[in-house]
């Protein structure tokens, strides 16, 4: 198997492909995006963080005051949104009206609302189109909730990352630059559980482990160990 971005070459059907697709799904703060970014870097692939699309729609909806709009207005606003994914040095970035939102997408205000937005049909359809287009030629490591089940059901490698809610909360607090005291961990774990419940309980593209995914529990693993295992699996599958 040839390594690198041109890997995955094979029979005729692979013409124009840039490599395999790696789908990484799992609950909130399970380490998906950090892991996906590192795996993409090792393989010379692009990282595609699908959560950023839902966060960008949520952020735009909060800014524009239509986040809670009724079905017709919500569909119209999402349809009109000037939103795209652009590939920049091994990473797909979300661009909204020619602006690249940064830290605004990961605030608690956005995190609190994103699961409600992500459950609505116009948001899912819009994100699905953008993600499929970005991954059309392969060579991507995409993380989210429904990547292996809905977005790329034929991905060559599917991984499902899990960790205890407390460990995920501890990591998320460190992302926010907050000291993970016991009390804060308990409160953050509650917020993560609430979001997981919404994501797993919704009708459209709910969070669930794809039948053919490899599950990795990262609770007691160092980030490098998780990355090594996934890179090895990806190589076995043609990356
Ligand atoms: O980083 P974290 O795990 O906290 O969340 P994220 O990956 O940024 O995703 C934020 C939210 O977007 C999730 O809680 C889901 O509601 C939604 N999402 C989704 O519905 N489908 C995806 N493929 C990715 C994210």
């Amino acid at each position: 198997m040839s390594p690198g971005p041109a890997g995955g070459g094979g029979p005729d059907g692979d013409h124009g492909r840039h490599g395999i697709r790696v789908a990484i799904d799992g609950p909130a703060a399970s380490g998906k995006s950090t892991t996906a970014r590192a795996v993409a870097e090792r393989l010379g692939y692009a990282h595609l963080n699908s959560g950023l699309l839902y966060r960008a729609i949520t952020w735009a909806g909060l800014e524009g005051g239509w986040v809670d709009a009724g079905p017709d207005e919500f569909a119209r606003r999402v349809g009109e949104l000037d939103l795209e994914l652009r590939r920049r040095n091994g990473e797909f970035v979300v661009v909204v009206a020619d602006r690249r939102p940064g830290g605004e997408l990961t605030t608690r205000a956005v995190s609190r609302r994103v699961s409600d937005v992500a459950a609505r049909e116009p948001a899912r359809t819009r994100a699905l189109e953008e993600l499929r287009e970005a991954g059309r030629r392969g060579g991507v490591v995409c993380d989210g909730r429904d990547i292996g089940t809905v977005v790329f059901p034929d991905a060559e490698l599917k991984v499902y990352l899990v960790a205890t809610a407390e460990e995920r909360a501890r990591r998320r607090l460190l992302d926010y630059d907050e000291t993970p005291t016991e009390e804060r961990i308990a409160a953050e774990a509650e917020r993560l559980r609430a979001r997981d419940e919404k994501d797993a309980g919704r009708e459209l593209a709910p969070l669930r482990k794809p039948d053919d995914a490899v599950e990795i529990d990262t609770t007691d693993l160092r980030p490098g160990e998780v990355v090594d295992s996934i890179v090895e699996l990806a190589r076995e599958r043609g990356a």
Side-chain angles (χ1 to χ4, degrees), residues 25-33 49-52 54-55 106 111 114-116 118-119 124 131 143-147 151 172 192 195-196 199 202 205:
D25 290 300
S30 54
K32 300 178 300 291
S33 85
N49 178 342
S50 67
L52 285 183
Y54 296 98
R55 288 177 178 275
T106 48
S111 296
V114 64
S115 291
D116 293 326
R124 298 224 71 81
L131 294 168
D143 70 284
R145 303 292 185 290
D146 62 339
I147 309 307
V151 180
R172 191 45 50 104
L192 294 176
R195 192 140 62 86
D196 292 344
D199 290 342
R202 72 184 173 213

Side-chain angles (χ1 to χ4, degrees), residues 140-161:
V140 293
V141 182
C142 185
D143 70 284
R145 303 292 185 290
D146 62 339
I147 309 307
T149 51
V150 175
V151 180
F152 301 129
D154 53 353
E156 288 83 351
L157 174 61
K158 299 179 188 179
V159 175
Y160 195 75
L161 290 186

Side-chain angles (χ1 to χ4, degrees), residues 20 52 59 110-111 123 128 144 165 181 236:
I20 68 165
L52 285 183
W59 172 70
V110 169
S111 296
L128 187 62
T181 59
E236 285 167 16

Side-chain angles (χ1 to χ4, degrees), residues 174-195:
L174 294 174
D175 288 344
Y176 288 137
D177 273 333
E178 290 177 25
T179 310
T181 59
E182 232 171 89
E183 206 175 318
R184 283 183 186 152
I185 289 178
E188 188 62 31
E190 218 27 72
R191 284 191 279 268
L192 294 176
R193 275 196 205 98
R195 192 140 62 86

